[in-house]
Amino acid sequence: LIRDLKPDRFEDLVALLALYRPGPLGSGMVADFIERRHGRKKVTYLAPALESILQETYGVILYQEQVMEIAGTLAGFSMGEADLMRRAMGKKKAKEMAKLREQFVKGSKARKVPQAKAEAIFDLCAKFAEYGFNKSHSTSYAVISYQTAYLKTHYPLEFMAARLTSIMSDSDKVASY
């Protein structure tokens, strides 16, 4: 994935860590993200209002915060309502989702988004929420990953000595490292 993405800025690592999970890997969104990132595939948005929300991720919903922002911008949800929507989607609560879908479509229509597009956007958010990740976690993991890679590359002996010391009570792990 790193070879395909060819990260050249920290934000690429943040996205990469959100992408490198079973849901995104199995959904095809990783390929879309990479193709769009390198300009081999056109970045598209289902509604103009989504551009400001999804521009940094090339039109792909990647973070939970984006789902919440979409709910607020497109459907007029408060942040509390948007968070409830995100949670209901993540836990696949069918009854709650049906109510939220109706509210989302109604709010979107009031903001001049055609019903079919509003429904498609809600469905896209719901699909994403099955494997969504929040950006702050991804960012934290990216910092740790970057630091670890740096230390392993520039201080390999010290890195491995520290690594082995941290697991020295587990002979199987010591042998594998």
Side-chain angles (χ1 to χ4, degrees):
L1 183 56
I2 291 172
R3 285 186 185 124
D4 290 341
L5 184 61
K6 297 176 179 56
D8 61 6
R9 56 187 171 186
F10 183 74
E11 290 78 13
D12 289 344
L13 296 179
V14 175
L16 188 135
L17 287 159
L19 288 165
Y20 195 70
R21 302 174 69 235
L25 289 169
S27 73
M29 72 185 278
V30 174
D32 282 346
F33 184 90
I34 291 170
E35 292 301 303
R36 292 173 180 190
R37 162 77 170 78
H38 293 297
R40 296 186 292 255
K41 186 174 183 181
K42 188 176 186 221
V43 177
T44 58
Y45 306 96
L46 287 174
L50 294 180
E51 185 171 356
S52 64
I53 299 167
L54 301 177
Q55 188 173 22
E56 75 168 302
T57 55
Y58 310 100
V60 174
I61 301 173
L62 197 51
Y63 307 115
Q64 291 176 352
E65 293 86 348
Q66 290 172 314
V67 168
M68 293 173 63
E69 197 172 348
I70 289 168
T73 301
L74 252 59
F77 280 35
S78 69
M79 287 306 285
E81 291 170 324
D83 189 45
L84 289 174
M85 183 180 99
R86 176 200 57 82
R87 258 189 273 157
M89 287 177 167
K91 295 183 179 179
K92 299 176 190 151
K93 295 182 175 180
K95 284 184 184 179
E96 210 173 316
M97 290 278 291
K99 289 179 198 171
L100 289 165
R101 179 189 183 90
E102 187 178 315
Q103 182 183 350
F104 185 92
V105 171
K106 184 178 177 184
S108 297
K109 282 173 58 178
R111 286 164 181 73
K112 310 284 190 257
V113 177
Q115 182 169 340
K117 275 197 180 185
E119 289 172 350
I121 292 167
F122 185 88
D123 292 342
L124 190 62
C125 287
K127 182 180 177 198
F128 157 82
E130 294 174 14
Y131 45 75
F133 205 55
N134 73 50
K135 189 174 182 180
S136 62
H137 284 136
S138 199
T139 302
S140 299
Y141 295 158
V143 168
I144 293 168
S145 298
Y146 186 86
Q147 290 171 336
T148 302
Y150 179 87
L151 292 171
K152 190 173 181 182
T153 300
H154 296 285
Y155 301 95
L157 298 176
E158 294 86 347
F159 179 86
M160 286 309 293
R163 183 71 186 126
L164 291 171
T165 300
S166 74
I167 53 145
M168 68 182 168
S169 63
D170 186 336
S171 59
D172 291 335
K173 284 186 180 180
V174 170
S176 74
Y177 283 106

